[in-house]
Amino acid sequence: GEKFTWFNGYYDNNGERLEGFKDGRVWMTLTGQVFALMHGVASPDEARGIVKAVRRFLKDETLGGYRLNTDFGMRHHLALGRAFGFAFGTKENGAVFSHMCVMYAYALYVRGFSREGFEVLRSLYAMSTYPGRAQIYPGIPEYFDASGRGMYHFLTGSASWYVLTVLTQAYGVRGEAGDLVLSPQLVKEEFSPAGEARVSLQFAGRK
């Protein structure tokens, strides 16, 4: 069948590699892919493979978000830590975890995948504002449970990272060794009907 590429990000307490294809099941984490992308470990071909694999195995088609890991098909996997004592889709075990989704979006922009980065950010916005399902005030929660409800709304730093990603990557306004860089990666949905996209900020004490 189809070929997919992704990186192993973890070894468990028994020294066993976590990620791969085992017992007819895909074992994959979003975290392992984010850092390989963001820091340039993945080659351009490997980066494209990661994007394809994440979309295939970690995107929840019902909720629209990207899960922290695939379902390992075990009641618990404590050799990987107590987080894997939670039911799949809860907290660190396979929920749509906002901060890692934002980091994934940031890594995608860094590697030039602007459309994919936009779609990840948009998925969080859509989940956070879904009428009746999110059940939260406006904002980004720590994670979304298996039913799409926003959980631990008071316990996340994801909102600031979301703004940072939109500003420095989508709008592409950032500093580099003290210099101002303008390197936008906006997609068509981010422009107004008049064809405008604007941002205002302080840089080095100047508006």
Side-chain angles (χ1 to χ4, degrees), residues 139-206:
I140 302 179
E142 184 187 35
Y143 72 92
F144 295 90
D145 68 13
S147 64
R149 182 179 179 183
M151 305 296 287
Y152 294 93
H153 199 251
F154 53 87
L155 184 68
T156 177
S158 303
S160 57
W161 288 102
Y162 193 111
V163 171
L164 180 91
T165 302
V166 171
L167 180 61
T168 66
Q169 297 300 320
Y171 279 95
V173 184
R174 58 182 180 268
E176 208 166 277
D179 294 330
L180 174 63
V181 174
L182 300 175
S183 180
Q185 295 192 63
L186 295 163
V187 298
K188 62 183 180 181
E189 292 92 328
E190 292 173 288
F191 291 85
S192 72
E196 292 183 345
R198 299 181 177 209
V199 69
S200 174
L201 68 143
Q202 293 282 326
F203 182 85
R206 296 182 182 87

Side-chain angles (χ1 to χ4, degrees), residues 90-155:
T90 308
K91 298 195 175 187
E92 288 88 353
N93 184 12
V96 175
F97 226 82
S98 298
H99 83 261
M100 194 51 61
C101 289
V102 175
M103 288 178 78
Y104 180 51
Y106 187 95
L108 288 168
Y109 281 113
V110 165
R111 297 302 296 269
F113 294 95
S114 48
R115 162 63 53 186
E116 291 81 356
F118 168 74
E119 287 174 358
V120 174
L121 291 180
R122 185 172 61 176
S123 73
L124 283 177
Y125 179 81
M127 289 185 73
S128 297
T129 57
Y130 197 100
R133 190 168 73 185
Q135 298 183 49
I136 54 175
Y137 290 116
I140 302 179
E142 184 187 35
Y143 72 92
F144 295 90
D145 68 13
S147 64
R149 182 179 179 183
M151 305 296 287
Y152 294 93
H153 199 251
F154 53 87
L155 184 68

Side-chain angles (χ1 to χ4, degrees), residues 11-32:
Y11 288 87
D12 66 20
N13 289 343
N14 303 319
E16 297 288 331
R17 188 182 77 185
L18 176 71
E19 307 193 40
F21 189 70
K22 296 186 275 187
D23 304 321
R25 188 181 287 270
V26 169
W27 292 53
M28 181 181 181
T29 73
L30 184 57
T31 311

Side-chain angles (χ1 to χ4, degrees), residues 6-88:
W6 68 93
F7 279 69
N8 177 58
Y10 295 90
Y11 288 87
D12 66 20
N13 289 343
N14 303 319
E16 297 288 331
R17 188 182 77 185
L18 176 71
E19 307 193 40
F21 189 70
K22 296 186 275 187
D23 304 321
R25 188 181 287 270
V26 169
W27 292 53
M28 181 181 181
T29 73
L30 184 57
T31 311
Q33 315 326 308
V34 165
F35 291 104
L37 277 178
M38 190 184 295
H39 298 297
V41 173
S43 70
D45 280 348
E46 288 168 338
R48 284 189 287 272
I50 285 173
V51 171
K52 179 182 167 187
V54 168
R55 186 182 287 127
R56 172 69 177 82
F57 299 117
L58 294 178
K59 184 174 184 183
D60 186 307
E61 294 300 338
T62 304
L63 301 177
Y66 295 78
R67 292 182 174 275
L68 208 47
N69 53 272
T70 55
D71 186 354
F72 301 151
M74 304 169 71
R75 185 158 178 263
H76 55 72
H77 187 38
L78 296 178
L80 194 60
R82 64 181 185 173
F84 291 88
F86 295 123
F88 178 69

